[in-house]
Amino acid sequence: MSLLLLLLSRSPPAAAGDGRKSDSRLVSEQFSQAPQKLAFYNWYGSARLFHFRVPPDTVLLHWLLQVTPGSGPACSNVETTVYFRYGAPPVINPLGTSFANNTSVQPSFLLKMLQDNASFNVSYPAPGDWFVAAHLPPSSHKIEVKDFIPTCAYIFQPDMLVVRVVEMSILKPDVPLPLVLLSQPSYLKVFVPKHTQELRLELQGCVSNGSLGCPVHLTVGSATLPRNFQKVLTCSDPTTACRLLLPSPPWERWMQVTAKSLAGPRASVTFSAVVALTACRPWTVNLQHLLNSSDQSSNTSTGTPLPSPNTHDLDQSGKAGSGPFCFRSFPILREDMDVVSVRFRPLDGVSVLVQSDTPSVMQLHLNTGMDSGGSLSISVSINQTVIANNTSVVACVTAGSPFLSFNTSLNCTTAFFQGYPLSLSASSPTANLSIPYPETDNWYLSLQVLCPERPEECVQASVLVETTMYLVPCLNDCGPYGQCLLLRRHGYLYAGCSCRAGWRGWSCTDNSTAQTLAQQKVATLLLTLSNLLFLAPIAISVHRCLLVEASVYAYTMFFSTFYHACDQPGGAVLCILNYDTLQYCDFLGSGVSIWVTVLSMARLKASLKYVLFILGTLIFAMSLQLDRRAAWNTMGPCLFAIVVMVTMWVYRCGRRRHCYPPSWQRWVFYLLPGLSMAALALTIYVSMMTSENYYYTHSIWHMLLAGSAAFLLPPRDQHAEPWACAQKLSCRYEICKNHRDELYTVT
């Protein structure tokens, strides 16, 4: 906070004019969010996401980052990685995995923090959504028992300080704006209307202290991360006009211009700023044209174009003036299907007629503020039998404004955005594009027919292009070895893939460490068949007439088997019930098995023992509902049972004046092996399990748990016959026992 107070105490940068007048034109504002606990990175859900909104006319964005470690002995200095992105959550890849085919990913802008505090500045940031994501180094894949081993909590909190202009000069098209630059910069802005094809900014009549030359430094546009497409122009040559041309500037938004003097601290620069806009009138394909084109779809292979545009076809709401017709606009229907799930399709179905004279443009509305948490999937295809070998269909996907310069350039670049190019031909009739976390904006798909070798053959060429455009939470639903999970930060929703069976990557498509199908089947068999060892304590319990204990072990064996059969990815999976239900029953059975085994060793009276059985089961059910992963929810009742057992043993030792159990054979052949197996099982469960060896160590845990129960179960009464319970069920008489006199009578 000391850094923030120091920054607030300083005078903000000035605008045009002297220092006293400029102080009132800039204001400082601070934005903060609740801190979050950082986690070691394993998948995208491990990163902590923060969502900020930068106000318009901001000239300085200052990030204050603070990491507060805990005070425990496990805390040490660790590296924190922080990512920044404008318009959408950052696409990160700390593990260096590969992305799916046809996935376009921008490099992430990141900052690594080795100290507790750090700061970062962005000059002239773009207004709107900014996202910050932070995480600790990649995890060690060790499965840690919650609340059992001490861990360190690292708390991360970003603060955003903005300095924005209250009064900003407005540039109007074709209206010169006289300006005088002193030692401080001048802040301007111009509104770019819809259907603007080109913007030209020019400085006229530039004079510096009465001499020729124009020592002015211009910065046009706003800064975005991870890539910054601001235009910088230095006007120092008196013989060259100070002019900047911007093709396809972003539509329907304010564009910021900053002018700084290069003439020195006491010199003044006088000039006039002039903005000229070149607009074009789009030909909007209305419903009547779609009906006509559907009738002529059979003639598209011969190059039959759409009807020629006329004044009745022009978009009258675009305010394009008298500019030339420069593209065809196809209306697109946006169909919201679910959370972060949208389908885009042309009104006539899935096809768009693309020609060679002008581009065909489709607008995708992704500006709701909730669309940037998914993945934009675009697929375009043609019939390879109706396109000539020297003819191709080129496409460009851009945000903010469409790419319209196919005849002059194929770089798929607008004024402030690098688009995503696609190409279709007879040899490659299909092109796919996937964009994880697309920026919040209006996106455009532009297409045009080109003949690079013989342009004269493309005069009347037209091709019917089929389009499939979706916004989905996860690409391909994370595949067979992943699970698409919906994440939330306050009111903002975004999706991520959680991979399994060794598969990695953004969409769980990286198989560099994946398990083979044979390995998956072996793992499934180990985790399920290892539960068959519970047949031993079940048989021993029935042999010693411990029917309640036998029922608990049978319950544990059944649900543990089918839970692990359902817990496997890919083809080696079998779910007889809901996954969450199976997991709950498995955890409940494991805890109650330990509970009844320990209480049986205490040799309590039958009534008291069964009361404790029921109470313990209810406590386990409640605690597992509160937190299924907490260690003490299971270990707490088990420790209580151990205290009861030890108390009863000590009581019997004092009453009988010798050790209990009295037989050394009982200690050597039953108790010591059983306790050793239980201690080894606890050690494996707490400290040895990782995501790589889970299939083997957890299977050993199953076998040790079942084996320890078989060894630790108390012996039958001396006067009781083996399988007495079965005899009781088959006979018509009952053996009664007098607990006081220990006399047996047949009734």
Side-chain angles (χ1 to χ4, degrees):
M1 294 302 294
S2 59
L3 182 59
L4 177 60
L5 295 176
L6 178 61
L7 187 61
L8 290 173
S9 63
R10 296 189 306 176
S11 298
D18 62 350
R20 294 186 178 181
K21 292 183 180 180
S22 61
D23 290 343
S24 61
R25 302 177 63 184
L26 298 176
V27 295
S28 300
E29 297 177 347
Q30 181 188 0
F31 301 89
S32 182
Q33 289 190 9
Q36 297 190 66
K37 180 182 177 181
L38 295 178
F40 291 93
Y41 188 84
N42 186 30
W43 66 293
Y44 198 85
S46 308
R48 300 297 177 252
L49 188 68
F50 298 84
H51 182 195
F52 291 88
R53 190 165 187 86
V54 176
D57 303 335
T58 299
V59 297
L60 177 63
L61 173 59
H62 186 81
W63 294 104
L64 296 173
L65 311 175
Q66 183 177 9
V67 178
T68 305
S71 57
C75 295
S76 60
N77 291 331
V78 297
E79 182 182 73
T80 304
T81 306
V82 186
Y83 303 84
F84 301 87
R85 189 185 178 192
Y86 165 75
V91 180
I92 63 179
N93 189 18
L95 303 179
T97 58
S98 61
F99 288 83
N101 296 332
N102 306 313
T103 301
S104 182
V105 180
Q106 298 181 1
S108 302
F109 181 88
L110 58 91
L111 177 66
K112 293 185 179 293
M113 294 179 56
L114 298 176
Q115 305 296 330
D116 295 341
N117 297 282
S119 61
F120 174 67
N121 291 337
V122 180
S123 299
Y124 316 117
D129 296 331
W130 282 76
F131 292 85
V132 179
H135 63 79
L136 297 177
S139 63
S140 60
H141 302 287
K142 182 180 179 181
I143 301 176
E144 297 181 351
V145 181
K146 185 178 179 182
D147 300 330
F148 188 80
I149 299 177
T151 58
C152 182
Y154 297 88
I155 308 300
F156 177 75
Q157 180 174 10
D159 292 319
M160 184 181 73
L161 177 70
V162 299
V163 179
R164 63 182 182 89
V165 182
V166 178
E167 299 178 3
M168 184 174 287
S169 301
I170 297 178
L171 282 170
K172 297 181 180 180
D174 302 321
V175 178
L177 178 64
L179 295 170
V180 178
L181 283 182
L182 299 176
S183 58
Q184 302 296 340
S186 179
Y187 302 107
L188 317 170
K189 65 179 181 179
V190 57
F191 184 77
V192 181
K194 194 174 183 179
H195 304 146
T196 300
Q197 186 178 14
E198 185 180 74
L199 183 146
R200 182 181 64 189
L201 174 63
E202 185 175 2
L203 303 186
Q204 299 177 351
C206 187
V207 178
S208 175
N209 285 349
S211 61
L212 297 178
C214 193
V216 177
H217 180 84
L218 288 178
T219 303
V220 181
S222 301
T224 60
L225 295 178
R227 293 189 292 184
N228 185 11
F229 291 96
Q230 284 179 311
K231 307 300 181 183
V232 177
L233 179 63
T234 301
C235 305
S236 57
D237 191 355
T239 61
T240 305
C242 189
R243 183 184 300 117
L244 181 64
L245 297 178
L246 297 177
S248 297
W251 291 352
E252 296 183 297
R253 68 183 61 182
W254 291 95
M255 187 182 70
Q256 187 172 332
V257 180
T258 304
K260 294 182 179 180
S261 174
L262 302 177
R266 296 185 179 181
S268 63
V269 180
T270 304
F271 60 91
S272 294
V274 181
V275 169
L277 302 177
T278 302
C280 64
R281 295 181 294 176
W283 180 32
T284 302
V285 182
N286 54 34
L287 184 59
Q288 183 62 35
H289 294 150
L290 295 176
L291 294 176
N292 295 336
S293 64
S294 63
D295 296 336
Q296 300 177 0
S297 60
S298 60
N299 297 326
T300 56
S301 61
T302 60
T304 303
L306 285 171
S308 301
N310 51 65
T311 56
H312 299 286
D313 302 323
L314 302 180
D315 186 2
Q316 301 298 328
S317 62
K319 298 181 181 180
S322 59
F325 160 75
C326 61
F327 68 93
R328 290 179 175 85
S329 178
F330 287 83
I332 297 297
L333 175 65
R334 174 189 166 111
E335 181 181 356
D336 291 277
M337 305 173 63
D338 205 337
V339 179
V340 202
S341 182
V342 182
R343 180 173 66 176
F344 300 95
R345 60 183 179 87
L347 291 181
D348 67 332
V350 296
S351 301
V352 173
L353 193 62
V354 181
Q355 298 183 301
S356 60
D357 52 350
T358 54
S360 299
V361 177
M362 289 170 282
Q363 181 178 355
L364 311 180
H365 294 280
L366 294 174
N367 55 357
T368 63
M370 299 299 294
D371 300 327
S372 57
S375 296
L376 179 61
S377 178
I378 297 177
S379 176
V380 291
S381 61
I382 58 175
N383 189 347
Q384 59 183 355
T385 62
V386 300
I387 186 171
N389 293 329
N390 62 337
T391 304
S392 63
V393 177
V394 291
C396 180
V397 181
T398 55
S401 60
F403 178 74
L404 304 174
S405 306
F406 288 105
N407 294 328
T408 59
S409 175
L410 296 178
N411 58 6
C412 192
T413 303
T414 59
F416 301 108
F417 190 84
Q418 174 59 56
Y420 305 94
L422 299 172
S423 179
L424 302 173
S425 62
S427 59
S428 179
T430 303
N432 300 304
L433 174 66
S434 299
I435 305 175
Y437 296 159
E439 298 177 8
T440 299
D441 211 330
N442 286 322
W443 286 72
Y444 297 88
L445 173 61
S446 306
L447 305 101
Q448 188 170 343
V449 177
L450 295 180
C451 297
E453 298 180 359
R454 298 178 181 178
E456 64 277 1
E457 296 183 2
C458 282
V459 176
Q460 296 294 331
S462 62
V463 177
L464 194 64
V465 179
E466 294 185 0
T467 60
T468 304
M469 298 170 289
Y470 282 92
L471 177 70
V472 294
C474 302
L475 296 175
N476 299 323
D477 201 22
C478 301
Y481 297 100
Q483 183 180 10
C484 184
L485 300 177
L486 196 63
L487 308 173
R488 182 178 66 88
R489 172 58 179 169
H490 294 165
Y492 181 77
L493 298 176
Y494 59 105
C497 288
S498 177
C499 306
R500 308 168 73 178
W503 289 74
R504 305 188 304 168
W506 187 264
S507 305
C508 301
T509 55
D510 188 340
N511 61 353
S512 58
T513 60
Q515 297 177 350
T516 63
L517 183 59
Q519 290 175 328
Q520 296 176 37
K521 292 181 178 180
V522 169
T524 303
L525 291 176
L526 283 175
L527 288 171
T528 54
L529 298 182
S530 60
N531 289 284
L532 295 180
L533 264 72
F534 275 97
L535 292 174
I538 292 173
I540 293 174
S541 299
V542 175
H543 179 266
R544 298 174 184 178
C545 205
L546 302 174
L547 297 183
V548 176
E549 290 85 339
S551 302
V552 172
Y553 298 144
Y555 176 94
T556 303
M557 180 183 67
F558 178 84
F559 282 104
S560 179
T561 299
F562 285 100
Y563 163 65
H564 287 291
C566 184
D567 190 43
Q568 303 308 308
V573 58
L574 173 64
C575 296
I576 63 171
L577 292 175
N578 178 270
Y579 175 83
D580 187 71
T581 302
L582 291 173
Q583 185 187 68
Y584 180 85
C585 294
D586 174 55
F587 285 25
L588 178 64
S590 300
V592 176
S593 295
I594 301 174
W595 172 261
V596 300
T597 302
V598 177
L599 288 181
S600 296
M601 295 172 62
R603 304 298 293 267
L604 300 170
K605 290 185 178 181
S607 58
L608 179 59
K609 182 179 73 170
Y610 295 134
V611 168
L612 290 179
F613 280 1
I614 296 298
L615 289 178
T617 303
L618 295 177
I619 292 175
F620 272 109
M622 177 196 66
S623 61
L624 291 177
Q625 182 65 29
L626 294 175
D627 191 350
R628 202 169 296 176
R629 298 289 182 178
W632 292 107
N633 287 349
T634 301
M635 296 187 63
C638 293
L639 290 177
F640 174 77
I642 293 175
V643 171
V644 172
M645 182 196 70
V646 172
T647 303
M648 294 302 300
W649 283 15
V650 172
Y651 169 74
R652 289 191 175 92
C653 287
R655 185 177 179 181
R656 300 182 180 184
R657 304 295 182 180
H658 58 79
C659 183
Y660 183 85
S663 172
W664 65 269
Q665 293 92 342
R666 180 68 186 171
W667 282 96
V668 173
F669 297 111
Y670 293 96
L671 294 181
L672 291 181
L675 293 176
S676 300
M677 296 174 69
L680 181 58
L682 181 62
T683 302
I684 293 176
Y685 186 80
V686 171
S687 60
M688 297 179 62
M689 285 191 186
T690 64
S691 57
E692 287 83 5
N693 65 9
Y694 173 81
Y695 308 103
Y696 314 105
T697 55
H698 199 76
S699 300
I700 296 174
W701 149 263
H702 287 164
M703 294 184 287
L704 292 175
L705 184 63
S708 63
F711 277 100
L712 295 177
L713 281 173
R716 69 179 186 274
D717 294 330
Q718 294 181 357
H719 302 285
E721 294 294 333
W723 309 102
C725 298
Q727 296 176 6
K728 185 185 300 185
L729 294 175
S730 61
C731 298
R732 294 187 178 181
Y733 60 88
E734 180 181 356
I735 299 178
C736 299
K737 178 179 179 181
N738 188 321
H739 291 279
R740 175 176 295 182
D741 299 331
E742 296 186 357
L743 297 177
Y744 291 81
T745 58
V746 177
T747 60

